[in-house]
């Protein structure tokens, strides 16, 4: 990672920046209080990617028994296409597979989100189902899984 990039656990102080990225990236963004409540959720783990000290991306997941469920990954629009989403996802994977000994990870992704699908596939995620009308606009989601393939993290 370049010297000016740092992936670290999210803190409450990061919430305004994370919520701003959320509003820029999603049609129906989580409100700030949803992120605040995640700090009292024992299953929740969130990371932020900072560039020169500013939060430019984030990701979060819930660790439940032997599974990790990715809730969100977002990169500020001005920093998209630079590999920052990959850095966040790999950080979540390391946290889940190596540090928490999770054996599988899942997520939902819009069926037409080609950049996200390419990223997830490149890191070992496989489409195993489809949720009809999953999103607020009625769009379907693919259900993707990754089964503890640590070689993708090297």
């Amino acid at each position: 990672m370049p010297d000016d990039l740092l992936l670290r656990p999210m803190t409450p102080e990061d919430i305004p920046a994370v919520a701003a990225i959320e509003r820029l990236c999603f049609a129906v963004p989580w409100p700030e209080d949803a992120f605040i409540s995640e700090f009292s959720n024992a299953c929740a783990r969130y990371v932020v990617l900072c560039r020169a000290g500013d939060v430019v991306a984030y990701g979060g997941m819930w660790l439940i028994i032997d599974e990790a469920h990715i809730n969100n990954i977002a990169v500020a629009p001005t920093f998209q296409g630079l590999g920052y989403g990959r850095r966040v996802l790999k950080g979540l994977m390391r946290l889940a597979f190596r540090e928490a000994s999770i054996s599988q990870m899942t997520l939902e992704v819009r069926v037409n989100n080609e950049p996200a699908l390419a990223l997830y596939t490149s890191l070992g995620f496989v489409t195993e189902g489809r949720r009809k009308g999953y999103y607020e606009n009625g769009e379907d989601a693919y259900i993707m899984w990754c089964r503890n393939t640590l070689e993708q993290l090297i």
Side-chain angles (χ1 to χ4, degrees), residues 13-153:
E13 292 76 26
D14 296 320
I15 291 173
V18 166
I21 292 170
E22 179 84 1
R23 287 189 300 273
L24 291 170
C25 292
F26 299 107
V28 181
W30 283 16
E32 284 191 29
D33 59 345
F35 289 105
I36 292 167
S37 70
E38 288 293 82
F39 281 97
S40 26
N41 177 352
C43 298
R45 303 290 186 280
Y46 284 80
V47 297
V48 293
L49 182 66
C50 299
R51 180 176 173 175
D54 295 325
V55 175
V56 296
Y58 75 93
M61 64 185 167
W62 289 351
L63 304 178
I64 305 168
I65 306 174
D66 68 339
E67 295 179 6
H69 184 271
I70 295 180
N71 298 325
N72 245 344
I73 295 176
V75 178
T78 56
F79 297 100
Q80 291 176 2
L82 300 175
Y84 292 0
R86 175 176 295 278
R87 291 171 194 259
V88 170
L89 179 55
K90 287 179 81 168
L92 291 173
M93 292 173 79
R94 272 191 289 279
L95 176 62
F97 292 146
R98 289 186 178 160
E99 298 174 30
S101 299
I102 294 295
S103 64
Q104 51 192 349
M105 181 174 265
T106 187
L107 55 82
E108 288 90 9
V109 59
R110 291 179 189 278
V111 297
N112 68 356
N113 188 342
E114 294 300 327
L117 288 164
L119 169 62
Y120 301 145
T121 301
S122 75
L123 288 174
F125 283 82
V126 176
T127 300
E128 294 188 12
R130 187 174 184 136
R131 296 194 195 280
K132 297 281 187 193
Y134 183 75
Y135 292 100
E136 67 287 337
N137 66 353
E139 188 176 353
D140 293 355
Y142 287 132
I143 306 164
M144 299 185 81
W145 284 89
C146 182
R147 312 278 200 255
N148 199 347
T149 52
L150 293 175
E151 60 272 8
Q152 276 100 337
L153 301 177

